Amino acid sequence: MNEKAVLFTIFGATGDLAKRKLYPSLFRLYKKGELAEHFAVIGTARRPWTNEFLREVVTSSIQDLIEDESQAENFASHFYYQSHDVEDTSHYVTLKNLGEELKAKYNTLGNQLFYLAMAPQFFGTIVGHLRSEEILTGEGFERLIIEKPFGSDYESAKKLNDELSCVFDEENIFRIDHYLGKEMIQNVTAVRFANHIFESIWNNKYIDNVQITFAESIGVEDRGGYYETSGALKDMVQNHILQVLSLLAMEPPTTFSDEEIRNEKVKALKAIRKYTEEEALDSFIAGQYVAGSIDGEEFVGYLEEPNVAKNSRTETFACGKFMIDNFRWSGVPFYVRTGKRMVEKGTRINVVFKQMPVDLFNNNQNTLAPNILTIYIQPTEGFSLSVNGKEIGQGFTIEPIKLSYRHNSAFLGNSPEAYEKLILDALNGERTNFSDWGEVARSWELIDVIRSAWDKNPKELATYKARTMGPKESYELLEKDGRSWAWKPEEWYIERGMLEE
Ligand SMILES: NC(=O)C1=CN([C@@H]2O[C@H](COP(=O)(O)OP(=O)(O)OC[C@H]3O[C@@H](n4cnc5c(N)ncnc54)[C@H](OP(=O)(O)O)[C@@H]3O)[C@@H](O)[C@H]2O)C=CC1
Ligand SMILES: O=C1O[C@H](COP(=O)(O)O)[C@@H](O)[C@H](O)[C@H]1O
């Protein structure tokens, strides 16, 4: 095992992300030997915690992963806390001294990884101080991991990027999009580029449309404050969905290197049609959940959630159609939808192939079901391919059959968590699964038009009952193109015996 020598500094060490994602991910890396003796973690935030208290918090956040108490104790002993207000310059002096001490104690070779698990308005201040207070020494690698949201529109993202790039080169900035760490998202490139049967027909000659659904069953939970400033379009479409779309749409890279892949993703994003506001209104729908129930359980509407304005127009559901104007995809709509409080948690991609030119079996009525390749991202992972076959028995009835390989990700005990993979990638300087500035910039350009069209044309938000599959307008969007969603909510009810098949 190639143990990594590194000093982590986590800004926002008392926060939710650090506790829920970062400490468990670091512990998994420790258990695998990726981190061993030569690492230390400085956790900083304003709360007056001590080293001992941070270690207690770390230990409680990894409870489910502990198999050997002394291993957990050793791991936690690498953590140090410094109370620090990121706007107070004098605190960086103490931070530098502590860093120097830990570098010597753990022999971290001057390698440093700064994780900004904080609100983005602080990013510029932090990186400015890292440089001015000479915490950056150029001795080992010096990398920055930052969290979403990366800006709130193109202008703010550009400003933020300029602030960061004054201090860190692009190759040392790791913008997290945790979907890129998910097993099946990484598998999209494998499906496409390791299977001739798919890549050879991956174009507008054979594919009718592509559908990307990111459904969540949870509501806005206790994140109303943040969500009110974001909404589904910025929270999910600008980043995760456009990232996935670019992986589906990009040209094959000449080599499987991070640079080549990023170049192809940027080209794909640039080929996505930038709508006029009028087109955006026609092609995108904003929705909000109202009270609803499922299986006897009641759910409040978005407007009744904590920290949400009573007259809020924030969309908890966004749905739309992207068109890609290039040789491969011209004429193929990419439909996307995402929302809170949808019928179930489910992230999947449906690639819907074109109908046969002639329907030999049904007097040319065109009633054959289309072939659909489904990539299940979560909570189950895998693929299915629906093909048509003859129903067994007399006569010649054609019926769709599903070839399916699906497993629940929970069964994959050793499957690394997205954050674990991404932190390890950052330690290895591997940038494929991070968003680069070109991708972020283009995504905002596409999203800004939609947001601005919605803001300038405040019509009634489409509503949907909590724990359903979104507003009726999201079905009409496809119906007007003569299509329908391949993943239908009825499936959910049928599987649970709540609807007749
Ligand atoms: N939580 C999640 O699941 C996800 C979070 N993110 C992003 O990660 C970032 C962090 O999120 P999250 O952990 O949920 O947020 P929290 O509000 O839970 O944590 C914020 C952290 O920032 C610290 N902080 C705030 N102001 C200062 C300051 N002036 N100086 C020093 N420390 C300060 C807080 O500590 P203290 O009060 O002690 O100073 C706390 O540790 C955000 O950008 C969020 O959008 C992204 C995806 C998922
Ligand atoms: O980035 C975000 O993602 C989560 C959904 O992530 P998942 O890994 O649980 O699918 C979403 O709930 C949150 O609103 C958004 O900020």
Side-chain angles (χ1 to χ4, degrees), residues 12 14-17 20 46-47 84-86 117-118 147-148:
T14 59
D16 174 73
L17 182 76
R20 280 195 314 109
R46 288 166 306 179
R47 270 163 251 193
H84 168 94
D85 186 324
V86 294
M118 290 188 57
E147 274 297 337
K148 63 168 281 213

Side-chain angles (χ1 to χ4, degrees), residues 42-320:
I42 303 178
T44 80
R46 288 166 306 179
R47 270 163 251 193
W49 288 7
T50 59
N51 291 344
E52 288 66 37
F53 190 72
L54 174 64
R55 288 170 194 168
E56 277 172 35
V57 170
V58 169
T59 309
S60 86
S61 73
I62 58 172
Q63 271 313 308
D64 297 348
L65 303 170
I66 298 177
E67 286 156 322
D68 169 350
E69 292 294 336
S70 70
Q71 184 188 42
E73 218 172 284
N74 282 338
F75 170 72
S77 73
H78 288 250
F79 283 70
Y80 295 80
Y81 186 76
Q82 196 216 307
S83 179
H84 168 94
D85 186 324
V86 294
E87 292 179 300
D88 185 334
T89 304
S90 65
H91 284 179
Y92 291 88
V93 178
T94 330
L95 196 61
K96 180 177 168 67
N97 293 339
L98 178 59
E100 292 291 335
E101 197 187 302
L102 297 179
K103 180 180 86 175
K105 178 167 179 182
Y106 291 96
N107 196 12
T108 56
L109 308 179
N111 293 330
Q112 299 200 75
L113 204 152
F114 302 93
Y115 201 119
L116 308 194
M118 290 188 57
Q121 78 250 29
F122 296 116
F123 293 176
T125 309
I126 297 171
V127 298
H129 279 98
L130 292 180
R131 185 176 58 182
S132 66
E133 302 318 304
E134 297 176 351
I135 291 176
L136 301 175
T137 59
E139 204 181 328
F141 68 67
E142 291 172 330
R143 298 179 185 142
L144 182 70
I145 302 189
I146 48 179
E147 274 297 337
K148 63 168 281 213
F150 197 84
S152 54
D153 55 16
Y154 174 80
E155 282 309 321
S156 57
K158 168 95 175 57
K159 181 167 174 289
L160 176 56
N161 199 57
D162 290 346
E163 286 170 348
L164 299 182
S165 50
C166 280
V167 180
F168 287 88
D169 294 336
E170 178 67 20
E171 65 182 41
N172 289 317
I173 302 177
F174 293 76
R175 296 178 195 81
I176 287 253
D177 184 312
H178 76 278
Y179 268 75
L180 297 181
K182 291 188 193 277
E183 192 60 34
M184 288 306 296
I185 298 287
Q186 297 190 352
N187 230 319
V188 168
T189 41
V191 171
R192 286 193 56 191
F193 304 131
N195 294 292
H196 209 296
I197 57 165
F198 293 128
E199 192 47 31
S200 54
I201 56 172
W202 208 257
N203 57 48
N204 56 4
K205 198 162 167 214
Y206 300 101
I207 291 179
D208 181 76
N209 71 94
V210 178
Q211 305 180 5
I212 303 175
T213 302
F214 281 31
E216 293 191 84
S217 57
I218 56 167
V220 70
E221 312 287 283
D222 54 1
R223 295 174 70 219
Y226 153 73
Y227 203 77
E228 280 281 274
T229 64
S230 163
L233 185 71
K234 292 184 181 180
D235 189 43
M236 297 294 280
V237 184
Q238 183 272 334
N239 36 67
H240 310 316
I241 287 188
L242 280 172
Q243 280 292 327
V244 171
L245 197 157
S246 65
L247 286 170
L248 288 164
M250 72 183 187
E251 293 300 315
T254 39
T255 59
F256 200 68
S257 69
D258 55 359
E259 198 184 341
E260 293 284 344
I261 293 172
R262 261 197 324 278
N263 287 344
E264 295 305 337
K265 282 168 72 191
V266 173
K267 279 195 236 160
L269 288 165
K270 287 200 168 143
I272 296 179
R273 188 178 306 165
K274 188 172 158 188
Y275 289 132
T276 61
E277 290 189 358
E278 203 176 319
E279 288 167 335
L281 285 179
D282 222 37
S283 305
F284 274 82
I285 288 146
Q288 194 182 73
Y289 61 87
V290 295
S293 67
I294 199 165
D295 281 342
E297 204 182 336
E298 306 280 339
F299 297 94
V300 298
Y302 178 68
L303 298 182
E304 287 88 53
E305 298 279 17
N307 302 320
V308 167
K310 292 293 161 235
N311 58 352
S312 171
R313 293 184 44 78
T314 301
E315 79 287 354
T316 59
F317 175 94
C319 163

